[in-house]
Amino acid sequence: VQLVTADVAARIVHVAAPGAAPLAAVADAVAALAARQPMPAIKPAAPRAPDPVLAELGWAPRTTWEDGLARTWAAWVAHATASRTA
Protein backbone atom coordinates (compact mmCIF):
# COMPACT_ATOMS: atom_id res chain seq x y z
CA VAL A 1 0.00 0.00 0.00
CA GLN A 2 2.83 2.39 0.82
CA LEU A 3 4.43 1.86 -2.57
CA VAL A 4 1.18 2.34 -4.48
CA THR A 5 0.29 5.51 -2.59
CA ALA A 6 3.82 6.96 -2.48
CA ASP A 7 4.65 10.05 -4.51
CA VAL A 8 7.40 8.45 -6.60
CA ALA A 9 7.98 8.20 -10.32
CA ALA A 10 6.48 5.12 -11.99
CA ARG A 11 9.08 2.39 -12.29
CA ILE A 12 9.57 -1.31 -11.72
CA VAL A 13 10.34 -2.07 -8.09
CA HIS A 14 11.83 -5.37 -6.97
CA VAL A 15 10.23 -6.30 -3.65
CA ALA A 16 12.23 -8.94 -1.80
CA ALA A 17 13.70 -9.81 1.55
CA PRO A 18 17.37 -8.98 2.03
CA GLY A 19 19.89 -11.69 1.27
CA ALA A 20 20.41 -14.12 -1.54
CA ALA A 21 18.14 -17.07 -2.29
CA PRO A 22 20.09 -19.35 -4.63
CA LEU A 23 17.92 -21.68 -6.69
CA ALA A 24 19.55 -24.78 -5.18
CA ALA A 25 18.80 -23.56 -1.64
CA VAL A 26 15.17 -22.85 -2.54
CA ALA A 27 14.81 -26.28 -4.19
CA ASP A 28 16.34 -27.98 -1.13
CA ALA A 29 14.00 -26.09 1.22
CA VAL A 30 10.93 -27.01 -0.86
CA ALA A 31 12.03 -30.68 -0.96
CA ALA A 32 12.52 -30.70 2.83
CA LEU A 33 9.08 -29.19 3.39
CA ALA A 34 7.48 -31.67 0.98
CA ALA A 35 9.16 -34.58 2.74
CA ARG A 36 7.72 -33.48 6.09
CA GLN A 37 4.24 -32.66 4.86
CA PRO A 38 3.26 -33.86 1.38
CA MET A 39 1.20 -31.51 -0.74
CA PRO A 40 -2.51 -32.32 -0.74
CA ALA A 41 -4.22 -33.08 -4.03
CA ILE A 42 -5.31 -29.91 -5.77
CA LYS A 43 -8.12 -29.67 -8.27
CA PRO A 44 -6.54 -28.14 -11.36
CA ALA A 45 -7.96 -24.85 -12.56
CA ALA A 46 -9.37 -24.54 -16.04
CA PRO A 47 -6.75 -23.55 -18.62
CA ARG A 48 -6.59 -19.84 -19.31
CA ALA A 49 -7.09 -18.71 -22.86
CA PRO A 50 -4.44 -16.43 -24.37
CA ASP A 51 -5.33 -12.76 -24.51
CA PRO A 52 -7.13 -12.08 -27.83
CA VAL A 53 -4.85 -9.10 -28.49
CA LEU A 54 -2.00 -11.55 -29.12
CA ALA A 55 -3.86 -13.02 -32.11
CA GLU A 56 -4.62 -9.50 -33.34
CA LEU A 57 -0.87 -8.86 -33.31
CA GLY A 58 -0.25 -12.08 -35.23
CA TRP A 59 1.51 -13.77 -32.33
CA ALA A 60 1.05 -17.44 -31.52
CA PRO A 61 3.15 -19.62 -29.22
CA ARG A 62 5.61 -21.94 -30.93
CA THR A 63 6.62 -23.86 -27.81
CA THR A 64 4.49 -25.58 -25.20
CA TRP A 65 5.18 -24.66 -21.59
CA GLU A 66 6.40 -28.22 -20.99
CA ASP A 67 8.93 -28.00 -23.84
CA GLY A 68 9.95 -24.52 -22.74
CA LEU A 69 10.53 -25.70 -19.19
CA ALA A 70 12.51 -28.73 -20.36
CA ARG A 71 14.67 -26.59 -22.66
CA THR A 72 15.22 -24.00 -19.91
CA TRP A 73 16.21 -26.73 -17.45
CA ALA A 74 18.62 -28.31 -19.95
CA ALA A 75 20.20 -24.93 -20.68
CA TRP A 76 20.56 -24.18 -16.97
CA VAL A 77 22.18 -27.56 -16.29
CA ALA A 78 24.56 -27.09 -19.24
CA HIS A 79 25.49 -23.59 -18.03
CA ALA A 80 26.02 -24.76 -14.45
CA THR A 81 28.14 -27.69 -15.64
CA ALA A 82 30.24 -25.45 -17.91
CA SER A 83 30.69 -22.92 -15.09
CA ARG A 84 32.13 -25.61 -12.80
CA THR A 85 34.63 -26.81 -15.40
CA ALA A 86 35.75 -23.36 -16.54
Side-chain angles (χ1 to χ4, degrees), residues 52-81:
V53 77
L54 297 173
E56 291 175 26
L57 295 172
W59 182 88
R62 294 180 295 196
T63 304
T64 65
W65 71 265
E66 295 95 341
D67 287 343
L69 180 61
R71 289 167 50 192
T72 299
W73 182 261
W76 181 81
V77 168
H79 176 75
T81 302

Side-chain angles (χ1 to χ4, degrees), residues 2-14:
Q2 288 177 304
L3 183 58
V4 172
T5 59
D7 185 23
V8 295
R11 64 180 181 264
I12 296 172
V13 177
H14 180 74

